[in-house]
Amino acid sequence: MRTHSFLTVLLWSSVFYMVHMTPSQRRTNKDSHSERITGLSENDGKTLHRTKRGWMWNQFFLLEEYTGPDTQYVGKLHTDQDKGDGNLKYILTGDGAGSLFIIDENTGDIHAAKKLDREEKSLYVLRAKAIDRKTGRQVEPESEFIIKIHDINDNEPKFTKDMYTASIPEMSGVGTSVIQVTATDADDANYGNSAKVVYSILQGQPYFSVDPETGIIKTALPDMSRENREQYQVVIQAKDMGGQMGGLSGTTIVNITLTDVNDNPPRFPQSSYQFSSPESAPPGTPLGRIKANDPDVGENAEIEYSISNGDGSDMFDIITDKDTQEGIITVKKHLDFENKVLYTLRVEATNTHPDPRFLQLGPFKDTALVKISVEDIDEPPVFSRPWYLIEVDEDAKEGSIIGQVVAQDPDVAQNALKYSVDRHTDLDRIFNIYSGNGSLFLSKPLDREEIPWHNITVIATEINNPKQSSQVPVFIRILDINDHAPEFANYYETFVCENAKAGQLIQTVSAIDKDQPPRGHKFFFELVPEFAVHPNFSVVDNKDNTAGIMTRRNGYSRSKTSTYLLPIIIFDNDYPIQSSTGTLTIRVCACDSRGNMQSCSAEALLLPAGLSTGALVAILLCIIILLVLVVLFTALKRQRKKEPLIISKDDVRDNIVTYNDEGGGEEDTQAFDIGTLRNPEAREESKMRRDVIPETIFQIRRTAPLWENIDVQDFIHRRLKENDLDPAAPPYDSLATYAYEGNDSIANSLSSLESLTTEGNQDYDYLSDWGPRFKKLADMYGGEDSDRD
């Protein structure tokens, strides 16, 4: 037994008992001293001594959901070191300390500050210690104790489902289990009866019962029939406290369905049925329906109908409609009114899924009598076959007979018939028929490759009664003849690597033929005779309707020949033999070491070998950028404003205006007609002025003949005088330019026309004396000597 310094702790349970404490010889001021107990041991009878202990704890209980006016008292901590002077401080730590459990640090009293719920937490572990307030030293070692929350019945049983669904076969025996329901109680199952649940049935009696302990629902009545009642609703109650008064309870609903079993045989509502059929009804024609009733459902109500006996069992049949469970009576063979008028059948209805448990109830089948009468009608012609198949060669001539159809009137009268082709099935009018005997013949040539099959309809009609007619399909198969040559199956894009070796396979070709020989296609490949020994390539027939193109030399050059044309002849093996020539285009390409094509264009040879695609893109971008810069520079240059020649209005210099056109000199006859000056003898009639409107008040004045004054100067003065005196002239000054310059100019003539005839140099020094306006001319002509030097 461990020994500690003496500390007594008192804990009282709030409901049941006080905390168990160490017994002592005397109690003074809540102090406990060591005691000595004398007794005999069961072994040696030695005297036993009880040593004082600081702590002695048991497991303590508190009631959950406490609703009293004050806080719930838990217990009291106390040590013999506590003299009552307030020097000790009690501290409580652990689960809920300070929030759920509060201790008075002076007295050591512990209270529960809040209402506790066992379903949330049922066990709290706490630690207690006492500390000297002055020194802060722990006077007793820390000790641990447990507070367990005692359960009360505050939770009702709850079912795992609010509603249960179950099913059970009808006609089940008493005590057959249906379903088990389960309810749980959140209270403590180890304490009292708070969590002990008992089941009972509130609704559903006397059909069902429930086991009070297990919750298993069982049948309580025998032979419950689904046909009488299918659905049941049962209410089950679960009550705690063992079902005693005051216990809490919960309920749930159980919906129980009785499932069907085959306990009812089919029954016909009447014993006999009457039907009729025209003799022209084709096989498979339905005549009527009969139905046997079965109250069961699903597969238990499935019925199979059959004809058990009767004289019409060979002429009629009955089938079962799986959707409606009805028997459909149909015609099995062609009826003939002249042979038999009335047939009798016995139809039997049987369950397809009988239940052996209920066979003692009787046979699960029923029978009914069916009578069928045959009606006489005028029947249409009947062909000898339901359909005809005719085969004809593709090269059959027009007008040749390819086959015949036969029909007859089934009536006693045996009326005459005529045949015709339904033109809706032969729009091209390829076939025709002789109306008297039904022989088919060709009207147009055939082409199997265009249409290999023709499906036409032939009509047989009674001559006396055109309403009676019958139709029959005729399938005409066109037999093939070898009239098409084979050709390449695809368009082949063939290439050969520049580094190819001799004997290398570069392409496998195959052929197709529109014809269909009976033994299948067989093609042969070879080079045309002109290329039988081709220096570059060869053709190898693989004997399987394919051929391989092989190289015949090492290496090919795109720079020399970039494309080869290889003509190949393709033969078939049918009669007559057909052949065609196909040309294979082979390009020379650059390949890598594994034979993968890289480039086939001849332009690729011009590119540098070491220039990558990225480098080409970069170069292209640089060129584009340069072009954009040039365009921008040109546009800016055009938009730049020219500097004006005259900067200031006060500038005394003459304005120089530059024109782009120059005069033609004496040779220019377009600007002014100088014919008069050159030929004074030429006569000129007076003409009206074109710049003014002529008026009749002015008389047209005639001038003197030109030959009267041939002097040019006199002629000009005379013309000037005529213009001055002309009354039709406009009232404003006009500038008339003449070729004569005059004789009174100080600078003499400025024209350079006469400079070509003068051998001496002109002296232009006098231009400097004319002032600043002629300074530019003086600089231009005055500096000629220096320029010449």
Side-chain angles (χ1 to χ4, degrees):
M1 182 180 294
R2 292 178 297 178
T3 305
H4 304 281
S5 53
F6 186 72
L7 174 66
T8 301
V9 180
L10 300 178
L11 292 177
W12 284 271
S13 173
S14 60
V15 175
F16 295 98
Y17 50 86
M18 188 175 62
V19 177
H20 178 76
M21 297 179 59
T22 303
S24 59
Q25 291 180 350
R26 57 180 179 176
R27 298 179 183 272
T28 306
N29 295 329
K30 298 181 181 180
D31 294 337
S32 301
H33 301 281
S34 62
E35 61 179 355
R36 181 176 181 178
I37 302 175
T38 302
L40 296 178
S41 172
E42 295 180 357
N43 297 327
D44 51 7
K46 297 180 180 179
T47 302
L48 299 180
H49 296 272
R50 178 175 291 178
T51 307
K52 63 180 179 179
R53 293 181 297 175
W55 306 99
M56 183 175 179
W57 305 103
N58 287 329
Q59 186 172 341
F60 304 110
F61 295 88
L62 286 180
L63 281 179
E64 67 170 337
E65 306 294 344
Y66 176 73
T67 57
D70 300 328
T71 57
Q72 190 175 6
Y73 183 72
V74 178
K76 183 180 181 65
L77 292 181
H78 189 75
T79 177
D80 55 356
Q81 302 292 334
D82 188 357
K83 306 301 183 181
D85 53 3
N87 289 332
L88 293 183
K89 178 181 179 181
Y90 296 97
I91 299 175
L92 186 66
T93 60
D95 296 341
S99 59
L100 296 178
F101 301 102
I102 301 174
I103 188 172
D104 189 332
E105 57 183 27
N106 294 323
T107 63
D109 293 330
I110 301 174
H111 292 80
K114 297 180 180 179
K115 183 172 62 174
L116 303 177
D117 189 355
R118 188 201 65 84
E119 285 71 33
E120 293 181 1
K121 189 175 180 65
S122 61
L123 190 70
Y124 295 88
V125 179
L126 299 172
R127 292 176 296 276
K129 59 183 177 180
I131 297 176
D132 192 326
R133 293 181 183 271
K134 295 180 180 180
T135 63
R137 183 178 60 85
Q138 185 172 324
V139 298
E140 295 290 350
E142 186 179 61
S143 181
E144 183 179 279
F145 63 95
I146 297 174
I147 298 178
K148 187 175 182 181
I149 307 302
H150 183 69
D151 183 47
I152 63 173
N153 189 17
D154 58 343
N155 292 279
E156 72 277 1
K158 293 184 179 180
F159 285 92
T160 56
K161 295 181 181 180
D162 294 335
M163 180 178 294
Y164 291 84
T165 302
S167 62
I168 185 174
E170 63 173 335
M171 309 299 289
S172 297
V174 177
T176 303
S177 296
V178 179
I179 191 175
Q180 182 178 15
V181 295
T182 304
T184 58
D185 196 318
D187 293 327
D188 190 359
N190 297 323
Y191 182 80
N193 294 328
S194 299
K196 186 177 181 181
V197 178
V198 174
Y199 301 93
S200 61
I201 184 169
L202 300 181
Q203 178 182 322
Q205 294 175 336
Y207 307 102
F208 300 95
S209 63
V210 63
D211 190 299
E213 295 182 358
T214 62
I216 297 176
I217 300 175
K218 301 178 181 180
T219 58
L221 287 180
D223 301 333
M224 287 190 293
S225 176
R226 185 199 63 82
E227 289 74 26
N228 295 332
R229 182 176 177 181
E230 184 177 3
Q231 297 288 338
Y232 295 87
Q233 188 176 77
V234 179
V235 178
I236 303 297
Q237 181 189 64
K239 190 174 184 180
D240 59 10
M241 299 298 292
Q244 298 178 2
M245 186 70 66
L248 303 179
S249 64
T251 59
T252 187
I253 296 175
V254 182
N255 293 321
I256 302 176
T257 303
L258 295 183
T259 58
D260 185 59
V261 297
N262 194 2
D263 58 340
N264 295 282
R267 292 287 183 265
F268 282 106
Q270 59 191 64
S271 59
S272 64
Y273 297 86
Q274 183 73 37
F275 298 101
S276 62
S277 172
E279 63 173 339
S280 61
T285 301
L287 302 180
R289 291 171 175 256
I290 60 175
K291 183 178 181 181
N293 298 324
D294 191 333
D296 295 324
V297 294
E299 66 175 15
N300 297 321
E302 292 182 1
I303 301 173
E304 185 71 27
Y305 296 90
S306 62
I307 298 176
S308 59
N309 53 39
D311 55 3
S313 58
D314 294 335
M315 304 299 296
F316 301 94
D317 197 4
I318 187 169
I319 58 177
T320 303
D321 189 337
K322 299 298 183 181
D323 296 329
T324 62
Q325 297 300 315
E326 293 177 321
I328 304 174
I329 299 176
T330 61
V331 178
K332 188 176 182 181
K333 294 182 180 180
H334 287 286
L335 303 175
D336 191 354
F337 176 81
E338 290 73 18
N339 292 333
K340 193 174 182 63
V341 179
L342 183 64
Y343 294 90
T344 302
L345 306 175
R346 183 160 293 279
V347 177
E348 185 178 274
T350 307
N351 276 138
T352 57
H353 299 88
D355 194 334
R357 296 177 300 173
F358 307 102
L359 292 179
Q360 71 276 5
L361 299 179
F364 279 76
K365 61 183 179 179
D366 196 13
T367 59
L369 186 65
V370 178
K371 295 181 180 181
I372 302 174
S373 59
V374 181
E375 299 175 352
D376 184 24
I377 62 170
D378 185 8
E379 300 176 76
V382 178
F383 284 92
S384 60
R385 299 179 187 176
W387 50 270
Y388 291 86
L389 174 62
I390 299 176
E391 294 182 345
V392 58
D393 290 333
E394 183 179 6
D395 58 349
K397 303 299 181 181
E398 296 180 21
S400 59
I401 296 176
I402 62 174
Q404 184 181 17
V405 296
V406 178
Q408 64 179 2
D409 185 7
D411 295 326
V412 178
Q414 293 289 316
N415 295 323
L417 307 178
K418 66 177 181 179
Y419 299 92
S420 63
V421 176
D422 186 357
R423 291 305 172 188
H424 293 91
T425 60
D426 184 26
L427 297 177
D428 296 332
R429 295 183 175 269
I430 300 176
F431 304 97
N432 211 333
I433 191 170
Y434 291 107
S435 61
N437 59 9
S439 297
L440 289 166
F441 63 91
L442 290 178
S443 299
K444 292 182 180 181
L446 302 174
D447 187 357
R448 189 205 64 83
E449 286 71 31
E450 183 178 354
I451 303 177
W453 283 86
H454 294 270
N455 301 327
I456 66 174
T457 300
V458 175
I459 303 173
T461 306
E462 292 183 6
I463 297 177
N464 297 332
N465 187 9
K467 294 182 180 180
Q468 295 297 331
S469 63
S470 299
Q471 298 179 352
V472 66
V474 179
F475 307 106
I476 302 174
R477 179 184 179 185
I478 310 303
L479 301 179
D480 183 47
I481 62 172
N482 193 24
D483 57 345
H484 290 84
E487 56 187 13
F488 280 133
N490 299 294
Y491 173 75
Y492 296 100
E493 295 183 355
T494 307
F495 71 93
V496 61
C497 296
E498 288 184 307
N499 57 356
K501 304 297 182 182
Q504 181 176 340
L505 176 65
I506 62 173
Q507 182 69 60
T508 299
V509 297
S510 60
I512 58 174
D513 194 338
K514 295 181 179 179
D515 297 321
Q516 289 185 350
R519 293 173 295 177
H521 291 292
K522 182 64 178 178
F523 302 120
F524 304 94
F525 302 85
E526 63 181 36
L527 290 174
V528 296
E530 293 81 2
F531 293 85
V533 183
H534 200 280
N536 297 304
F537 305 96
S538 62
V539 177
V540 177
D541 196 331
N542 297 328
K543 308 301 182 183
D544 60 352
N545 294 338
T546 63
I549 310 301
M550 312 293 292
T551 58
R552 296 197 63 182
R553 63 184 178 91
N554 296 327
Y556 296 82
S557 176
R558 280 186 295 170
S559 59
K560 294 181 179 180
T561 304
S562 61
T563 304
Y564 293 91
L565 300 178
L566 188 65
I568 301 174
I569 301 178
I570 309 173
F571 301 89
D572 59 17
N573 67 334
D574 206 357
Y575 180 82
I577 295 177
Q578 300 288 343
S579 65
S580 67
T581 301
T583 302
L584 193 66
T585 303
I586 304 175
R587 295 184 299 165
V588 181
C589 302
C591 305
D592 57 15
S593 59
R594 292 178 293 180
N596 297 322
M597 181 180 66
Q598 292 182 337
S599 175
C600 290
S601 60
E603 292 78 0
L605 297 172
L606 302 177
L607 297 177
L611 207 57
S612 64
T613 304
L616 293 176
V617 173
I619 293 174
L620 182 60
L621 290 176
C622 292
I623 294 174
I624 294 174
I625 293 173
L626 289 176
L627 291 176
V628 172
L629 292 177
V630 170
V631 172
L632 291 176
F633 179 79
T634 304
L636 293 175
K637 188 175 181 181
R638 288 182 178 179
Q639 294 179 359
R640 184 178 300 166
K641 186 176 182 182
K642 294 183 179 180
E643 183 179 356
L645 201 60
I646 302 176
I647 300 176
S648 176
K649 295 181 179 179
D650 300 334
D651 197 339
V652 297
R653 291 179 297 174
D654 292 337
N655 296 335
I656 300 176
V657 181
T658 302
Y659 297 94
N660 293 330
D661 54 334
E662 297 179 358
E666 295 177 354
E667 299 297 327
D668 187 4
T669 61
Q670 301 297 327
F672 186 80
D673 186 11
I674 62 175
T676 305
L677 298 178
R678 293 182 181 276
N679 187 10
E681 298 296 333
R683 296 180 61 87
E684 181 179 358
E685 297 180 359
S686 298
K687 298 180 181 180
M688 301 286 291
R689 288 184 63 92
R690 288 180 287 180
D691 55 345
V692 295
I693 300 175
E695 298 180 4
T696 56
I697 59 174
F698 300 109
Q699 296 181 354
I700 299 175
R701 179 173 53 84
R702 293 187 175 272
T703 61
L706 293 177
W707 59 81
E708 296 179 359
N709 187 5
I710 60 176
D711 183 73
V712 175
Q713 181 176 3
D714 293 339
F715 171 75
I716 293 174
H717 283 289
R718 188 172 177 178
R719 288 294 190 187
L720 180 62
K721 186 177 180 180
E722 290 177 358
N723 281 281
D724 292 336
L725 298 176
D726 188 6
Y732 50 81
D733 294 337
S734 61
L735 177 63
T737 302
Y738 300 93
Y740 186 75
E741 298 181 359
N743 297 323
D744 296 334
S745 176
I746 301 176
N748 294 327
S749 177
L750 296 178
S751 175
S752 62
L753 297 178
E754 298 178 356
S755 63
L756 299 176
T757 60
T758 306
E759 295 179 358
N761 295 329
Q762 298 289 333
D763 186 10
Y764 299 101
D765 294 336
Y766 59 89
L767 295 175
S768 301
D769 300 332
W770 289 6
R773 295 189 176 184
F774 295 90
K775 185 177 182 301
K776 186 67 175 179
L777 290 175
D779 293 340
M780 293 174 60
Y781 290 90
E784 184 179 357
D785 295 336
S786 62
D787 295 336
R788 187 179 294 112
D789 293 339

